[in-house]
Amino acid sequence: MDMQALLQQAQQMQQQLAQAQQALEEAEVVGTSGGGLVKVKLSGRGQVEDITVDPKAVDPTDAEETAQTVADLVLAAIRDAEAQVERLQQEKMGPLAEGLGGGGMPGGMPGLPGF
């Protein structure tokens, strides 16, 4: 094995990983529910950045029912956004995981889950 080539490959993979992580840091996804009554914005890392509830989701005559409905809608929007984040992360990180664990580096990358 050519150690120099192996080191260059490792450096390239490290750069690609850093680029993918940066892209995820800058990405935003929006999950919705209730036909757009609730919107949840997440970062590409999965952190909740913002939640918007349309006033139409609120029934002023039934506060208890409204509270439960809004809670359900928020949860559904978060799950929608999380599914989008998962797809985005797979898109950005998946090829790197295959390269690291799929024969690119013998034994994968220790300390990196899934690698």
Side-chain angles (χ1 to χ4, degrees):
M1 258 193 180
D2 181 3
M3 191 57 123
Q4 184 65 25
L6 197 58
L7 288 174
Q8 284 179 337
Q9 183 182 9
Q11 286 177 332
Q12 287 174 345
M13 294 295 280
Q14 187 177 26
Q15 288 173 342
Q16 291 171 344
L17 180 61
Q19 289 170 344
Q21 288 174 331
Q22 183 64 34
L24 288 174
E25 287 290 332
E26 295 170 357
E28 292 180 348
V29 300
V30 177
T32 62
S33 66
L37 289 175
V38 174
K39 296 178 183 175
V40 175
K41 182 169 55 169
L42 268 60
S43 72
R45 292 272 195 197
Q47 281 189 300
V48 176
E49 300 288 331
D50 190 34
I51 298 175
T52 304
V53 178
D54 188 309
K56 294 176 195 162
V58 178
D59 179 359
T61 64
D62 193 350
E64 189 173 327
E65 174 98 14
T66 292
Q68 186 58 53
T69 299
V70 169
D72 291 343
L73 289 171
V74 168
L75 184 58
I78 288 172
R79 288 183 177 154
D80 181 45
E82 286 175 337
Q84 291 182 52
V85 166
E86 189 173 319
R87 284 191 297 272
L88 179 65
Q89 289 176 343
Q90 182 61 35
E91 176 187 313
K92 299 291 183 193
M93 303 298 276
L96 293 171
E98 291 171 17
L100 292 172
M105 294 287 288
M109 289 292 280
L112 293 176
F115 288 76

